[in-house]
């Protein structure tokens, strides 16, 4: 029997993505974001979540997709990566799925306009559904994490 992992399913530009549940702290509705000067365009700023200052990244911008105004269904997914909590703005977060490890294939060079280095793989769900699994360590590469850690101080 293949191992299974639970993933949170979210959408960006009409594509479905997944992040392992054990990396997700919480999913929040959009709340006011405080801009921080001298940051990359996709870093939207910081939020104060229950007394903790958390940097927020627009995943559309991070992946080079067209950024849009947040909507009623937009969410901030708070993830933990390398001892750092970061919020990802996504179009919607709507599901938790079990994905069998043998259903995951290596990603093609580009999926939905997103470069393969940001992706862990593509999972086949049923006959027609594909789920793009994020590689969090690349989405938050080391130099950016160092920059983001400075916000938290």
């Amino acid at each position: 029997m293949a191992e299974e992992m639970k993933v949170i399913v979210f959408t960006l530009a009409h594509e479905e993505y997944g992040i392992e549940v054990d990396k997700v702290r919480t999913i929040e509705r959009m709340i006011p974001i405080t801009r921080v000067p001298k940051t990359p365009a996709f870093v939207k700023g910081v939020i104060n979540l229950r007394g903790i200052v958390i940097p927020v990244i627009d995943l559309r911008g991070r992946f080079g997709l067209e950024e849009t105004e947040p909507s009623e269904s937009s969410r901030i997914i708070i993830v933990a990566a390398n001892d750092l909590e970061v919020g990802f703005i996504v179009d919607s977060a709507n599901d938790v799925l079990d994905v069998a490890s043998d259903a995951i294939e290596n990603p093609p060079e580009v999926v939905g306009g997103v470069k393969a280095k940001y992706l862990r793989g593509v999972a086949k769900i049923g006959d027609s559904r594909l789920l793009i699994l994020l590689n969090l360590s690349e989405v938050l590469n080391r130099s950016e994490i160092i920059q983001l850690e400075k916000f938290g101080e």
Side-chain angles (χ1 to χ4, degrees):
M1 169 108 188
E3 277 189 42
E4 286 197 337
M5 67 176 189
K6 280 197 180 311
V7 295
I8 302 271
V9 178
F10 65 91
T11 58
L12 277 183
H14 308 294
E15 298 281 349
E16 286 190 309
Y17 294 82
I19 299 179
E20 298 101 303
V21 166
D22 61 1
K23 304 258 195 297
V24 174
R25 292 281 191 255
T26 174
I27 299 173
E28 303 289 331
R29 292 183 175 277
M30 292 301 294
I31 56 179
I33 298 172
T34 304
R35 269 302 288 151
V36 177
K38 295 188 173 89
T39 58
F42 59 82
V43 176
K44 292 302 164 200
V46 294
I47 57 174
N48 180 346
L49 189 65
R50 295 181 272 287
I52 300 169
V53 174
I54 298 175
V56 176
I57 291 175
D58 187 328
L59 273 190
R60 278 176 170 256
R62 179 69 179 106
F63 293 158
L65 303 170
E66 182 185 350
E67 290 186 37
T68 58
E69 284 300 309
S71 70
E72 186 60 36
S73 60
S74 297
R75 295 289 180 266
I76 301 175
I77 299 178
I78 309 294
V79 300
N82 308 338
D83 302 328
L84 174 70
E85 289 190 353
V86 178
F88 290 149
I89 298 174
V90 300
D91 296 350
S92 65
N94 33 12
D95 216 352
V96 177
L97 283 179
D98 289 317
V99 177
S101 56
D102 60 2
I104 300 171
E105 297 186 0
N106 288 332
E109 278 306 300
V110 173
V111 180
V114 178
K115 293 186 185 75
K117 75 173 188 171
Y118 298 129
L119 309 177
R120 186 169 144 194
V122 177
K124 290 183 185 157
I125 315 276
D127 292 334
S128 60
R129 194 171 172 192
L130 290 178
L131 187 62
I132 303 163
L133 301 173
L134 290 192
N135 176 349
L136 276 186
S137 58
E138 270 306 322
V139 173
L140 298 168
N141 74 35
R142 199 67 217 139
S143 63
E144 287 162 356
I145 287 175
I146 290 165
Q147 265 190 318
L148 292 174
E149 281 173 342
K150 289 179 185 157
F151 295 149
E153 291 169 1

